[in-house]
Amino acid sequence: MLTVGVIGCGYWGPNLIRNFINLKDARVKICSDISEKRLAHMKHLYPSLLTTTDYRQVVGDADVDAIIIATPVSTHFQIALESLEAGKHVFCEKPLTDSVEDGVRLIDLADDRGLVLMVGHTFVYTAAVNKIKDLINGGELGEIYYLSTSRVNLGLFQEDINVVWDLAPHDVSIMNYILGSRPEAVSAVGHSYIQPGIEDVAFVTLRYPGSILANLHVSWLNPNKIRSTTVVGSRKMLVYDDISSLEKIRIYDKGVDVVPHYDTFGEFQLSYRYGDIHIPKLDDAEPLKLECQHFLDCVGGVSSRSSGRHGLEVLLVLEAIDRSMRDGGSRITIDYPATLG
Amino acid sequence: MLTVGVIGCGYWGPNLIRNFINLKDARVKICSDISEKRLAHMKHLYPSLLTTTDYRQVVGDADVDAIIIATPVSTHFQIALESLEAGKHVFCEKPLTDSVEDGVRLIDLADDRGLVLMVGHTFVYTAAVNKIKDLINGGELGEIYYLSTSRVNLGLFQEDINVVWDLAPHDVSIMNYILGSRPEAVSAVGHSYIQPGIEDVAFVTLRYPGSILANLHVSWLNPNKIRSTTVVGSRKMLVYDDISSLEKIRIYDKGVDVVPHYDTFGEFQLSYRYGDIHIPKLDDAEPLKLECQHFLDCVGGVSSRSSGRHGLEVLLVLEAIDRSMRDGGSRITIDYPATLG
Amino acid sequence: MLTVGVIGCGYWGPNLIRNFINLKDARVKICSDISEKRLAHMKHLYPSLLTTTDYRQVVGDADVDAIIIATPVSTHFQIALESLEAGKHVFCEKPLTDSVEDGVRLIDLADDRGLVLMVGHTFVYTAAVNKIKDLINGGELGEIYYLSTSRVNLGLFQEDINVVWDLAPHDVSIMNYILGSRPEAVSAVGHSYIQPGIEDVAFVTLRYPGSILANLHVSWLNPNKIRSTTVVGSRKMLVYDDISSLEKIRIYDKGVDVVPHYDTFGEFQLSYRYGDIHIPKLDDAEPLKLECQHFLDCVGGVSSRSSGRHGLEVLLVLEAIDRSMRDGGSRITIDYPATLG
Amino acid sequence: MLTVGVIGCGYWGPNLIRNFINLKDARVKICSDISEKRLAHMKHLYPSLLTTTDYRQVVGDADVDAIIIATPVSTHFQIALESLEAGKHVFCEKPLTDSVEDGVRLIDLADDRGLVLMVGHTFVYTAAVNKIKDLINGGELGEIYYLSTSRVNLGLFQEDINVVWDLAPHDVSIMNYILGSRPEAVSAVGHSYIQPGIEDVAFVTLRYPGSILANLHVSWLNPNKIRSTTVVGSRKMLVYDDISSLEKIRIYDKGVDVVPHYDTFGEFQLSYRYGDIHIPKLDDAEPLKLECQHFLDCVGGVSSRSSGRHGLEVLLVLEAIDRSMRDGGSRITIDYPATLG
């Protein structure tokens, strides 16, 4: 039985509390928020839950084994640092921190203390994303050529972060996870049409090892809500549409074969394959539930799918995108710190 | 009555012949092709048509007022040059030439002689593209923010030109036409997955005057055939889906209003509009027929929607895209020659 | 302030309690269920709510002005009868009763006592259905020709009622409401593929006054979930797709005009109209909330959109459908009792 | 080499001529039409073709082995009769005749003379319909429960036949073919909204052996063009959408299993299966080409997929539908004549 304390009961915290309460190997003892009103609401929902406006009471609670952090990003580092120093495992909402330096420090500290540090990149716990990873790993798609994603809709505009920091973390986390690698370089173009200085539209290209390109379109200014990822491989292609409830993944048995030519004057030979389309049935378990259970498993020794390192790699990509956008779309090479191996 | 001669009876030439024959103010007297077989086929379809394997017979025919060129691009310049020098109006398939220098020379020559030089950018004659142009010009979309297009499918791979030269001319021609302007700069990323040296996937960003961005995705490696253009304006947004036969344009009465704030501490105010969707009925006349009629009108004095200048501007953009792709995605500024004004 | 008591806290009751609690002019004092477990759950959600396993405590509570009945249909009559006799207004879930005779008795009793008797046909409170009613009433569709609906999916099979009683009440209620009339006759074909004696597929035709046909397809055995209604009028046509979240109603400016012909040998003349498609933005308020508020309004004197009479008319149609199905699809004329006017 | 003569060069005849000309084992020697203009058009297309306004010249041509009939239905019987009596094989457009009696006479005559009599029910030559037949025959769908089809659009209204005779022949032909059986009884409801006496909307139920229901919706008054057939089996379900160019058939691995129960008080047990969706790649050969080749094969001894008997069975169903519609939807049992076995 793992005893957890939750810091931050705003938008996402209550979902985490609900999921941890429903796990049979966890209990939520205490939560904190700076708003008395939010705490009253939590108390109403879960009368036995202790509440406090001082997060240090959660961090300092001797019964608590793990701290769940769902506060604004600017506070992540300080709370996570104190939690790790107090010997607590940490589950921190994304993004891990707002600076690479702080992220490295947390990862090193967790390593030193032998504690779990996990980041809430929920998509890597969805059935769809894991299905895609399995298809890639199993070789069913062949060699991966390129990916193309759209994550666009009308609003909601954020005031403190641009559309890249709002929407692209999902795509970068998903792509790093399914490809099992991380981008070497980035170029990006964006613009602020509504709020000066806060990009609301961006087109981003990531270059993964092995000549894999990934193009991302993120926008708060689009008439339709689109959540689509196309993965093109040498053997098959797939489209992942996260808006669809029943047909999230379509696998196309389509491709182009380059026919080797032996004669000296043979023209270039291509052969097209047009085949069946397959729409696999996916498990519909709530990803957040799986993510919370996974955190318990990590405390038990399993290595995490969305570790601090995973979260830090995403941060590095976001920072590179921002730099490229502000430098007119120039190509930015990413230097991964030694901590990331 | 305009008498035309057609040079090139391969893939596209017969469509042009059919359309000119059906116009009541034109007649097709003679056509040429290097293949006797193609000429026999044309003779079979239109017994009264004269045929020749020597295009100079077409150019030199005293009855012929206008030359229609539907040959490979490398031959465009020479044939168009001779035609203009012989005092004939010229309708040339896209792209106009394979070098900017040659294009400029043809435009200048046509101007000197007072002859029509028109390029076959057929999309500017479609009902859908003209509807979009009218909506923009009439202010219905408000200020244009950005455009995003996908023109992707599986194959058909070309051996001599890359996917940009194959597919992007349509998008560039359409965007220049509906915006009434031309890109100032370009950046592009592409890759050759199948044929070494011939890009089969590219992501392109064009920067139009007034901070308008246009992003193009062109690909020969995509499981679905997509022909989609999104136009986002400050008042409304629209999606143009050229695959749909009956619902090509959807106009969304959606947007974001920036509320001016007068007090010193007011937070940033945005107001969202979510409104009706409107799908206008479009005329379904064949665009190629309208284009051929338009050529007659231009000979009669009307100025052309797809003039030599329009075609040359497209060429300049394609060349800049190629340069950016080969330079790792760097931003390339386009210098338009003086001929283009 | 109306004080209500709720009888039945199974599947639907809690939704009613939540909505009545949230209305500012109502309060929920007491609820009953035969299951202690359900009552404990309600108490957990709303600590101030009184609970009882004896519905007569609810009916007999002197503070209670209105009784909400969300129990199995076989119990509706007895509970509603006692409630009306105790002078309480009644809101009863659909179907009103399981026999026409009982339904008539309740309606007459409510009339005698001057009490409200309302049935929970929620669809008539949706924005989509009311938009359609407005379009018909305003003449925008012209003369109504026919309606065609599909309400199909895989399961969930009921053990006590067939697919007609499960799904068709929605369609009949909607059609009676938007047409402002009721079917004169019915024919229906159905079959029991899975559970002997309980039809799981049915095709039903209703004949409304003025030669309006309505065809219903209801099924528990269909691969796709479909909730679609097509309304064809002489001026326009519309499709109502209740599965779509943002584009529920599409209005087609399409039709056929019969051109009058004056000469003796003129052939029959038809003229087709193909026009724009319009997708109106609909209000997205929760229909159940509107329905609960409407009940308060009815107690205040407004006449109900889903009165006991409306519910009884639906019952009569369902009974006629059952009879036709069991009689091989023969045409059954419906005799509406005097109570219904 | 089979020499054919074609009678009727209106809407469909030229397609048949084109296809027979392109078959390597057939030649078209002569064609007839009552319109000189149509004949001139055919001569223009195929200069070596003989033409005549007198169909008896075609029937009487000694070189001609087979007669292709593409004239109005009222003339089918007389032309087919003379052709068979002249010892020619006959390929007749659907419907075979306008009376059952005449149809029987033609079939008997062809049998007596050992000649082929085939009807142009083209759908049974499509890849999609044959895929469905294979899935049913191979048991992949399990026991067939029911079928539901929509064949609706706006117009084109016919002046001489109603919507049932215009559109339902396709559905009846397809269903008889894929089920390998024929309806025992029919009930139908229809109405004439535009042209008095000519139904433009109809809802039809066919009862096939083994409790298989088939419901057809045919209409000339629908805003959308729909060509859809749902087949529900005990193991799998499928949807055939003939409008889709690339995804005509979707096979759903969905169903309901009835779990046998052994105890005395066990409640009814159902178990749902929700599985993958599969969209098979279909061959895209032109069905009409396959049909024409099939006619040659039949002359060579193969038995026909769309024989005179198949065509006559369709006629019997259409007549029964008309009778039911005019009798208020009553159930009409079909008596198949002895000729049909």
Side-chain angles (χ1 to χ4, degrees), chain B residues 247 250 276-277 279 281, chain C residues 247 250 276-277 279 281:
Chain B
E247 306 188 4
R250 297 166 67 94
D276 293 3
I277 303 169
I279 302 173
K281 169 79 171 66
Chain C
E247 306 189 3
R250 295 166 68 93
D276 293 3
I277 302 169
I279 302 172
K281 169 80 172 66

Side-chain angles (χ1 to χ4, degrees), chain D residues 1-315:
Chain D
M1 175 65 62
L2 192 84
T3 300
V4 307
V6 175
I7 298 176
C9 300
Y11 167 60
W12 199 241
N15 285 324
L16 290 162
I17 291 174
R18 173 174 56 82
N19 272 283
F20 275 108
I21 282 179
N22 286 330
L23 292 178
K24 73 177 192 327
D25 295 329
R27 69 168 183 133
V28 182
K29 180 183 177 189
I30 183 169
C31 68
S32 76
D33 198 279
I34 54 171
S35 154
E36 293 276 10
K37 197 173 154 200
R38 295 303 301 164
L39 293 175
H41 179 64
M42 299 316 297
K43 192 84 187 173
H44 176 76
L45 289 174
Y46 309 105
S48 65
L49 195 61
L50 301 182
T51 60
T52 171
T53 54
D54 177 10
Y55 78 85
R56 289 199 166 99
Q57 261 190 264
V58 182
V59 172
D61 190 304
D63 289 345
V64 164
D65 304 306
I67 304 288
I68 314 301
I69 304 173
T71 56
V73 62
S74 59
T75 67
H76 284 185
F77 173 68
Q78 187 60 31
I79 300 174
L81 184 77
E82 294 180 26
S83 301
L84 292 167
E85 285 177 340
K88 315 296 193 192
H89 302 289
V90 168
F91 175 125
C92 182
E93 267 315 306
K94 72 180 159 53
L96 174 55
T97 60
D98 52 11
S99 96
V100 168
E101 190 187 351
D102 287 349
V104 169
R105 205 166 140 202
L106 293 179
I107 291 168
D108 290 344
L109 180 58
D111 282 359
D112 285 351
R113 303 288 174 101
L115 293 167
V116 170
L117 173 64
M118 181 168 138
V119 186
H121 284 290
T122 310
F123 269 99
V124 305
Y125 300 94
T126 62
V129 167
N130 283 285
K131 179 73 183 181
I132 298 171
K133 186 173 177 60
D134 289 348
L135 289 167
I136 291 175
N137 284 351
E140 195 163 342
L141 303 186
E143 180 191 350
I144 299 306
Y145 288 154
Y146 82 98
L147 301 93
S148 168
T149 76
S150 289
R151 194 172 294 271
V152 302
N153 53 266
L154 183 63
L156 306 178
F157 287 73
Q158 310 272 343
E159 287 174 49
D160 48 350
I161 57 172
N162 66 19
V163 73
V164 169
W165 285 74
D166 183 33
L167 299 178
H170 298 304
D171 295 307
V172 176
S173 165
I174 291 169
M175 287 191 289
N176 282 7
Y177 178 65
I178 62 177
L179 294 175
S181 64
R182 55 196 192 189
E184 298 166 334
V186 159
S187 50
V189 174
H191 198 78
S192 318
Y193 291 106
I194 304 296
Q195 300 178 89
I198 301 181
E199 288 86 355
D200 33 43
V201 175
F203 301 98
V204 177
T205 304
L206 310 179
R207 295 162 193 271
Y208 282 87
S211 294
I212 299 175
L213 282 184
N215 191 259
L216 283 62
H217 177 196
V218 287
S219 174
W220 287 329
L221 275 174
N222 206 77
N224 292 313
K225 182 173 182 177
I226 303 175
R227 298 285 183 267
S228 155
T229 302
T230 300
V231 184
V232 174
S234 61
R235 291 192 56 227
K236 289 188 182 175
M237 306 177 178
L238 73 78
V239 176
Y240 161 34
D241 174 7
D242 198 52
I243 301 294
S244 171
S245 55
L246 294 173
E247 306 189 3
K248 284 192 191 294
I249 293 182
R250 296 167 67 94
I251 304 163
Y252 296 81
D253 188 7
K254 283 188 175 181
V256 185
D257 295 320
V258 184
V259 178
H261 40 116
Y262 302 101
D263 51 42
T264 49
F265 54 96
E267 60 181 292
F268 196 81
Q269 297 281 327
L270 296 177
S271 134
Y272 295 88
R273 275 178 297 105
Y274 297 92
D276 293 2
I277 302 169
H278 194 74
I279 301 172
K281 170 80 172 66
L282 299 173
D283 189 23
D284 48 8
E286 188 185 2
L288 190 54
K289 179 183 170 185
L290 300 175
E291 187 180 33
C292 292
Q293 178 60 54
H294 182 67
F295 180 65
L296 298 197
D297 297 344
C298 292
V299 170
V302 167
S303 73
S304 177
R305 260 183 237 177
S306 59
S307 64
R309 284 181 166 74
H310 179 82
L312 182 62
E313 285 172 342
V314 172
L315 272 191

